Amino acid sequence: MTNIVVNETASFVSLKLNASGTFAAGEAANIMTVPALQDVTINATPGTFSWEQLDELAQQIVTTPSTNSISLNAVLDTVSFFTGVGGTAGIWDITNGKTKVYFRLHMNGTSTDDYYVEGEGYLSGLAPTVSPTAPVWVTPLEILVDGSYVQAQTA
């Protein structure tokens, strides 16, 4: 078994967003990396429907479509929050505009054969906070995934 190490320079977790297209060749100018990730949670939750029957001693259950999302906390900077990169607006405008984004979450770096998950969805849960003891803006953020994740390795 090999652990997925993320605390070495070439193995950092990174989240890239593109609100103007996919991650195909030629889109590099529109891809924004969300800086200063503090934590990330990938949620892949199958839905379920359950029922009871008079002739059974236990519940019956079937699966329904999954609810997928990515939750994170990040320290904000002016580029990723307000201005954005290329054709991709900042997180504030993407969220308020209800703009669909393409995302790619690199699990342990971007070197050849490193794993990532990608998909498309909407940003939600933006709630920036600041205080005297935490004097930089920090926000939770969630990507509500529209459809399934795609899992792949960096070529």
Side-chain angles (χ1 to χ4, degrees):
M1 177 178 81
T2 304
N3 293 326
I4 302 172
V5 178
V6 299
N7 65 346
E8 298 171 354
T9 301
S11 300
F12 291 147
V13 175
S14 67
L15 174 62
K16 299 179 184 311
L17 303 176
N18 187 349
S20 65
T22 64
F23 289 92
E27 285 291 324
N30 298 320
I31 296 172
M32 177 175 62
T33 300
V34 178
L37 298 176
Q38 293 184 305
D39 57 67
V40 177
T41 303
I42 302 171
N43 299 300
T45 307
T48 60
F49 175 77
S50 61
W51 69 94
E52 294 86 26
Q53 296 177 192
L54 294 173
D55 63 344
E56 292 286 336
L57 296 176
Q59 273 191 342
Q60 305 296 307
I61 191 166
V62 295
T63 59
T64 60
S66 294
T67 300
N68 299 322
S69 64
I70 294 177
S71 306
L72 61 100
N73 285 291
V75 177
L76 298 175
D77 71 359
T78 56
V79 172
S80 64
F81 192 65
F82 291 114
T83 60
V85 173
T88 297
I91 292 169
W92 179 260
D93 287 336
I94 292 170
T95 304
N96 284 326
K98 301 176 185 147
T99 305
K100 184 178 275 191
V101 296
Y102 294 87
F103 67 87
R104 183 174 286 175
L105 178 66
H106 292 271
M107 306 280 293
N108 63 321
T110 57
S111 300
T112 302
D113 294 331
D114 286 344
Y115 287 95
Y116 63 85
V117 294
E118 69 179 14
E120 55 187 289
Y122 297 91
L123 301 184
S124 178
L126 189 64
T129 60
V130 68
S131 71
T133 57
V136 294
W137 286 95
V138 178
T139 191
L141 186 63
E142 187 170 20
I143 301 173
L144 304 174
V145 179
D146 182 15
S148 298
Y149 292 115
V150 175
Q151 176 250 307
Q153 289 177 277
T154 306

